[in-house]
Amino acid sequence: MSRTALYGGVEAGGTKFVCAVGDTTGHLLETITFSTTSPEETLAQTIDFFRQFPHVQAIGVGSFGPVDLRPGSPTWGFITTTPKPGWQHVDVAGTLGEALGLPVAFDTDVNAAVLGEKRWGAAQDVSDFVYLTIGTGIGGGGMINSALMHGLLHPEMGHLRLPHDWERDPFPGVCPYHGDCLEGMASGPAIVQRWGRPGDELPPEHPAWDLEAQYLALGLVNIILTLSPERIIMGGGVMNQRQLFPKIRAAVQALLAGYVQHPAILDEIERYITPPGLGGRAGVMGALALAMSER
Amino acid sequence: MSRTALYGGVEAGGTKFVCAVGDTTGHLLETITFSTTSPEETLAQTIDFFRQFPHVQAIGVGSFGPVDLRPGSPTWGFITTTPKPGWQHVDVAGTLGEALGLPVAFDTDVNAAVLGEKRWGAAQDVSDFVYLTIGTGIGGGGMINSALMHGLLHPEMGHLRLPHDWERDPFPGVCPYHGDCLEGMASGPAIVQRWGRPGDELPPEHPAWDLEAQYLALGLVNIILTLSPERIIMGGGVMNQRQLFPKIRAAVQALLAGYVQHPAILDEIERYITPPGLGGRAGVMGALALAMSER
C-alpha cells in the first residue's frame, strides 16, 4: 500500500469523463475513461472508481460548463445552464463529496488544465501565463502572479471580438451569440462549415490554415495586450495541426509590429507560443493538481 | 510635527509632474505641480519639494513610459525608449532615491492609478478590476486577486485590435504602429483628426460620441472576456464627456448579448462601468499608494 499522499482527478467533459488517481509527483496509479451519459450513471461510475482507493485524500474536478464557482453560493460546484440534455443544474461537487466523504475542489476544465500546466507542464517556470484550448469551442484561462484568474465568473476568451476582413473571408461565423467572434471564426465547427470538411481532412498546405492562424493570432494579440502573459499554451483538437504554430507565431509578430519590445516575443517566440507540456493528459492531470491545490 | 507615517507620491507625466506628501488615510499635506522640462530640472524640482519633509518614509513614482519594471534589471526604474526629447534612458527611481536617501517604488502611471483606486477610490470592495485611461493615449491596468498585473512587461490595453466597420467609419486611425487599434480609433487625437475639432468642442449630441462609445465598448468587451473583472473604471480627459458612460454601458450589454450571465453586467452595469473614485487625483494618490505598498 502506498505511503505517499494520493489524490483523485476528474476531467468532466461533455463527451467523456476521465478519472485518475495519482501522487504529488504527477505519477498516475490508475486511470479510467467512460462516456458521459446521464448524470446519475456517470457520477455513479466516478464514485465506484474512487471507492477502490481508500487512501485518496481529496478529489479535483475540472468540468465542462457553465459552472457555478462563486464561493458560498448555494449552487457552488454545480453545472448550471448547459445545453447538454439532463445536465442542467447538476450538483457534481456535492454528489461526489458526499458519496466519497472527501473534500472536492471544483473548477472549469480550462482552469484545471492551467493548474496542471503550471505544476507539471509548459508553465512551470513562469508566474503569468494563458492556456487556450481550440476545439469544438474555444476556451481560455490563466494565472496572474501564480494565482488562477476568476474575477466575476471566469474568462471567456473564446468570444473575443476581432477585425473581420469580409472581402478575404465572407464567412459569417458560427457563434450563436456573436457570429464572428474568435470561436465563431476559428473553432473546429467554424472550419467544418467554412470549408465543408473537418480540419483533419484538409491538407497542411490548404489555405484554411493561413486564415485559421490569422484569427488565432488576432485573439492572442489581444490577450497579450490585456494580460501581458509570459507564455501562451495552445491545446485542443485544432492545435494538433502543428503547421499552425509557426504561422500563428509569425502573424502575432506581424500584428504587434514591434510594439511590445521584449525578447520573449521578438526573439524567442517558439518558446512563447507553445503546445501543452502535458499533451492530451492536461485535463485529468489538471484535475489532479486542483485536488492538491485545495490541501 | 506629524507623528503619523508620511509618504511621497510623484505623478510623473509627460506634460506635468505632480508631487504630494500624504499619510496612510489618503490625507494630502501638500501638493505641487510643475511642467515636465528637462530630466535634470524636473527631477531637481521633485527632490527640492520632498527635502522639505524629512519625515517622509518612502517615495512612489507612477511614470509615463515606456519604463523598465523588471526586478533586478540594471535599468530598473528608468524611463526607456520614450519619444519625449531628452527623456530616453533616464534613471528616475535611482536619481530620486539617491538624492533623498529613501526607498523608491516605481511603476507605470496606470498601475499607480490602479493602486490608488483600490486603496481609496472606486475599487475598494473588489479584488479583480481594470482601470482604463482614455486621453492622448489609451492605457489600461488592473488587479487580479488584489495584486497588480505585470507579467512580461505590463498591459498595453490601448492597442487592442477591434472590428472596424469601414462603411460606417472610413477613418483609418492614428496609431503609428497599428492604425485602427483602440487607441488609433478612440483616443483624443483620433477624435480631433476624425472630426476636425477636439472633443471639448463637440456638443454632447454629436454623432462622434456614439462612435466613440462603440469603440470603447468593443475594447471593454474584449477586456471583460479576457480578465473577467468585477469592475471597470474609466478615467482620462475623454471620459470627462460624461454622456459617454450610458452609451458605453448600453453598447457593452448589446455586444455581450447575454453571454456573460452575471447581475453585475445584466442589472447593475452603472456600478460595473464607472468613473474613477479619485477623479483627477487618481495619478498622484496612486503614486502615494505605491509608496505605501512597498513598505
Side-chain angles (χ1 to χ4, degrees):
Chain A
M1 210 180 299
S2 172
R3 305 287 293 271
T4 53
L6 293 181
Y7 296 86
V10 181
E11 178 186 349
T15 307
K16 63 183 165 76
F17 267 48
V18 185
C19 303
V21 169
D23 65 22
T24 54
T25 69
H27 172 69
L28 300 186
L29 276 72
E30 198 157 329
T31 62
I32 189 173
T33 301
F34 42 86
S35 294
T36 309
T37 58
S38 69
E40 296 71 26
E41 184 179 39
T42 310
L43 295 177
Q45 281 181 281
T46 305
I47 291 160
D48 287 346
F49 173 73
F50 287 115
R51 281 207 172 124
Q52 305 172 70
F53 304 94
H55 295 280
V56 164
Q57 305 198 0
I59 305 283
V61 181
S63 179
F64 72 100
V67 290
D68 186 351
L69 303 179
R70 294 170 298 174
S73 161
T75 54
W76 175 88
F78 280 49
I79 293 175
T80 59
T81 56
T82 176
K84 189 170 173 66
W87 283 85
Q88 293 89 0
H89 309 292
V90 169
D91 182 7
V92 174
T95 303
L96 297 180
E98 275 174 43
L100 295 166
L102 289 174
V104 174
F106 186 80
D107 214 320
T108 64
D109 42 9
V110 171
N111 276 345
V114 165
L115 284 172
E117 288 294 322
K118 172 68 180 162
R119 190 160 190 135
W120 301 299
Q124 294 178 58
D125 59 330
V126 293
S127 58
D128 298 65
F129 71 97
V130 166
Y131 173 91
L132 282 173
T133 174
I134 323 293
T136 308
I138 296 183
M143 284 188 158
I144 301 292
N145 297 310
S146 299
L148 277 174
M149 289 194 284
H150 285 117
L152 202 60
L153 289 168
H154 49 74
E156 284 284 2
M157 300 183 196
H159 296 271
L160 292 173
R161 295 299 179 86
L162 304 174
H164 180 180
D165 181 343
W166 289 87
E167 276 186 41
R168 179 180 177 192
D169 180 25
F171 184 66
V174 300
C175 176
Y177 288 89
H178 314 117
D180 64 352
C181 66
L182 177 59
E183 183 171 300
M185 299 308 272
S187 61
I191 295 173
V192 175
Q193 284 211 24
R194 188 190 280 109
W195 304 103
R197 278 182 293 170
D200 294 352
E201 298 177 15
L202 299 170
E205 64 279 8
H206 192 282
W209 303 118
D210 283 335
L211 198 62
E212 178 73 12
Q214 179 69 13
Y215 287 118
L216 293 174
L218 282 164
L220 260 52
V221 160
N222 280 355
I223 291 166
I224 291 167
L225 294 167
T226 304
L227 289 177
S228 189
E230 298 168 286
R231 190 159 299 148
I232 296 178
I233 302 168
M234 301 184 79
V238 172
M239 295 311 298
N240 290 333
Q241 302 286 336
R242 289 304 161 99
Q243 72 275 15
L244 280 172
F245 279 97
K247 291 179 195 289
I248 292 168
R249 292 173 186 134
V252 163
Q253 288 178 325
L255 286 163
L256 286 173
Y259 190 76
V260 178
Q261 286 279 329
H262 193 284
I265 290 172
L266 300 177
D267 307 322
E268 298 158 19
I269 198 159
E270 287 77 14
R271 193 166 152 75
Y272 187 68
I273 298 172
T274 182
L278 299 174
R281 284 196 155 172
V284 70
M285 292 195 70
L288 205 62
L290 184 61
M292 295 171 195
S293 73
E294 293 291 297
R295 303 294 291 180
Chain B
M1 210 179 300
S2 171
R3 305 287 293 272
T4 53
L6 294 180
Y7 296 86
V10 182
E11 178 186 348
T15 307
K16 64 183 165 73
F17 267 49
V18 184
C19 301
V21 169
D23 64 24
T24 53
T25 68
H27 172 69
L28 300 186
L29 276 73
E30 199 156 328
T31 63
I32 189 172
T33 302
F34 42 85
S35 295
T36 309
T37 58
S38 69
E40 296 72 24
E41 185 179 38
T42 309
L43 294 177
Q45 281 180 280
T46 306
I47 291 160
D48 287 347
F49 172 74
F50 287 115
R51 282 205 172 126
Q52 303 171 73
F53 303 94
H55 295 280
V56 164
Q57 304 197 1
I59 305 282
V61 182
S63 179
F64 72 100
V67 291
D68 186 351
L69 303 179
R70 294 170 298 173
S73 163
T75 54
W76 175 89
F78 281 49
I79 292 174
T80 59
T81 56
T82 176
K84 190 170 172 65
W87 283 84
Q88 293 89 359
H89 308 292
V90 169
D91 182 7
V92 174
T95 304
L96 297 179
E98 275 175 42
L100 295 166
L102 289 173
V104 174
F106 186 80
D107 215 318
T108 64
D109 42 9
V110 171
N111 275 345
V114 166
L115 284 172
E117 288 293 324
K118 172 69 179 159
R119 190 161 191 133
W120 300 299
Q124 294 179 58
D125 58 330
V126 292
S127 58
D128 298 66
F129 70 98
V130 166
Y131 173 92
L132 282 173
T133 174
I134 323 292
T136 308
I138 297 183
M143 284 187 160
I144 301 291
N145 297 311
S146 299
L148 277 174
M149 289 193 283
H150 285 117
L152 203 60
L153 290 167
H154 49 75
E156 284 284 2
M157 300 184 196
H159 297 271
L160 292 174
R161 294 301 179 84
L162 305 174
H164 180 179
D165 180 344
W166 289 87
E167 276 186 40
R168 179 180 177 192
D169 180 25
F171 184 67
V174 300
C175 175
Y177 287 88
H178 314 117
D180 64 351
C181 66
L182 177 59
E183 183 171 300
M185 298 309 271
S187 62
I191 295 173
V192 175
Q193 285 210 27
R194 187 190 281 110
W195 303 104
R197 278 181 292 170
D200 295 350
E201 298 177 16
L202 299 170
E205 64 279 9
H206 193 281
W209 303 118
D210 283 335
L211 199 62
E212 178 73 13
Q214 179 69 12
Y215 287 117
L216 293 174
L218 282 164
L220 259 52
V221 159
N222 280 354
I223 291 166
I224 291 167
L225 294 167
T226 304
L227 289 178
S228 190
E230 296 169 287
R231 190 159 298 148
I232 297 178
I233 302 169
M234 301 185 77
V238 171
M239 295 311 299
N240 291 332
Q241 303 285 335
R242 290 301 161 101
Q243 72 276 14
L244 281 172
F245 279 95
K247 290 179 196 289
I248 292 167
R249 292 173 187 133
V252 164
Q253 287 179 325
L255 285 163
L256 286 173
Y259 190 75
V260 179
Q261 287 279 330
H262 194 284
I265 290 172
L266 300 177
D267 308 321
E268 298 158 19
I269 198 161
E270 288 76 14
R271 192 166 152 78
Y272 188 68
I273 299 173
T274 181
L278 298 173
R281 283 194 155 171
V284 70
M285 293 195 67
L288 205 62
L290 185 60
M292 294 170 196
S293 74
E294 292 292 298
R295 303 294 291 181

